[in-house]
Amino acid sequence: MILVGVDGSSAALEAVSWAVGEARLRGAGLRLVHVMPGWPLEMSEDAPYADAGRWMRDGAASMLTDAVERARAEDGRVDVESQLLPGDPRLVLIEATKEADLLVVGSHGLGGFSGMLLGSVALDVAGHTSCPVAVVRNLPAQARGEVVVGVDGSPAGTAAVGFAFAEASLRGADLRAVHAWSRPVAGCGPFALESAQETAGGERRLLAEALAGWSERYPDVKVTEQVEHMHPVEALKNASAHADLLVVGSRGRGGLAGLLLGSVSHALLHHAACPLIVAPAPATPRHT
């Protein structure tokens, strides 16, 4: 099941349209969810602010109806359902992803607490969810036939590689695996060039090892390996300008242990030139 957060904004409706395409590729159902913060869905007639509560509930229901109609207009064969839930949008969506294969949100909302899907909700849920999170932004006018994945050798990066191979296979697209490194190269004088070559060789090996075995599982996917000596955000932003989809891990090798969304993923939420998917790291088993 694919879960879509909707808030009545044009960006949310674009996210619905994109999610319909994903559901069609996967043969999955679509669940459209709107979360009403601060208001119970059911209240007695004499409850304080009952009229305001009904007005908000009716408006939310109408919003969901519009989203369902948009989804069915995109493809009537996709199974679509809607759900109106109370609570904090962040916490509710995180809990709802336990039943989902993918959470989809728009790049920006209506503004305000309940609508800021990128400014507040998406930034908070990415890294905490049980499934990957897609932020739909800068939809290409036509298919480009390429999926880009950021590779860094981290557990979340490994999850991103697997997800990207599967997506490329579903779409019949090529895969561009990008590994970028920006550490300064040690050495000086006549030894500097040799040091740079050795460092670059190590980075190419890291990329090759991260991709090992995946082409055997997805022989239909053509893979291009790209190693860049530049900041990962810049390299992936550039690559996303020619892609249908960019996939990254939620936290890379350089992240702090408590930082659930890494700096690269955070920056790309704002600057990717195509829809972005953030894949969570595999859950760490608890030891008793």
Side-chain angles (χ1 to χ4, degrees):
M1 184 267 293
I2 295 178
L3 184 72
V4 187
V6 298
D7 66 352
S9 66
S10 59
L13 290 177
E14 286 184 356
V16 169
S17 295
W18 185 88
V20 169
E22 279 294 302
R24 182 172 56 245
L25 287 172
R26 297 161 174 258
L30 207 60
R31 180 178 297 168
L32 311 182
V33 174
H34 177 69
V35 184
M36 284 178 53
W39 290 94
L41 296 184
E42 301 293 340
M43 60 175 60
S44 62
E45 293 293 329
D46 57 351
Y49 309 110
D51 289 341
R54 284 191 294 272
W55 177 80
M56 290 182 64
R57 186 171 60 250
D58 291 346
S62 176
M63 180 191 308
L64 280 171
T65 298
D66 291 343
V68 169
E69 290 177 352
R70 175 70 170 262
R72 289 175 176 161
E74 289 287 335
D75 191 335
R77 297 167 295 177
V78 173
D79 183 31
V80 182
E81 63 182 59
S82 64
Q83 192 172 21
L84 180 59
L85 298 171
D88 184 315
R90 306 166 181 83
L91 300 179
V92 171
L93 287 175
I94 289 170
E95 180 65 23
T97 61
K98 293 179 180 179
E99 300 178 358
D101 298 303
L102 180 68
L103 169 63
V104 182
V105 296
S107 61
H108 57 274
L110 292 172
F113 181 77
S114 66
M116 292 172 58
L117 287 179
L118 180 57
S120 61
V121 176
L123 286 176
D124 287 340
V125 301
H128 290 81
T129 57
S130 302
C131 67
V133 177
V135 177
V136 179
R137 52 179 298 115
N138 300 322
L139 285 170
Q142 58 185 18
R144 295 161 173 167
E146 183 169 88
V147 173
V148 172
V149 61
V151 181
D152 63 3
S154 68
T158 300
V161 169
F163 190 95
F165 264 96
E167 277 289 319
S169 180
L170 285 172
R171 294 164 177 263
D174 296 340
L175 179 64
R176 179 174 298 274
V178 178
H179 173 61
W181 54 285
S182 56
R183 300 188 307 278
V185 176
C188 59
F191 303 103
L193 180 59
E194 180 181 359
S195 178
Q197 291 174 339
E198 290 177 354
T199 301
E203 301 299 332
R204 284 192 292 271
R205 285 192 296 274
L206 184 152
L207 177 58
E209 290 170 1
L211 298 176
W214 288 106
S215 289
E216 286 74 14
R217 294 178 62 179
Y218 295 95
D220 57 318
V221 177
K222 177 185 175 183
V223 182
T224 299
E225 298 181 20
Q226 180 176 336
V227 178
E228 298 282 358
H229 186 195
M230 64 170 61
H231 195 281
V233 171
E234 194 67 22
L236 291 170
K237 178 184 174 182
N238 292 343
S240 72
H242 308 286
D244 297 309
L245 183 67
L246 171 62
V247 185
V248 296
S250 58
R251 187 177 68 242
R253 290 183 300 166
L256 299 175
L259 193 63
L260 291 179
L261 187 64
S263 59
V264 172
S265 305
H266 188 287
L268 289 168
L269 281 171
H270 295 280
H271 300 296
C274 68
L276 170 71
I277 289 182
V278 180
T284 303
R286 293 185 178 182
H287 298 283
T288 57

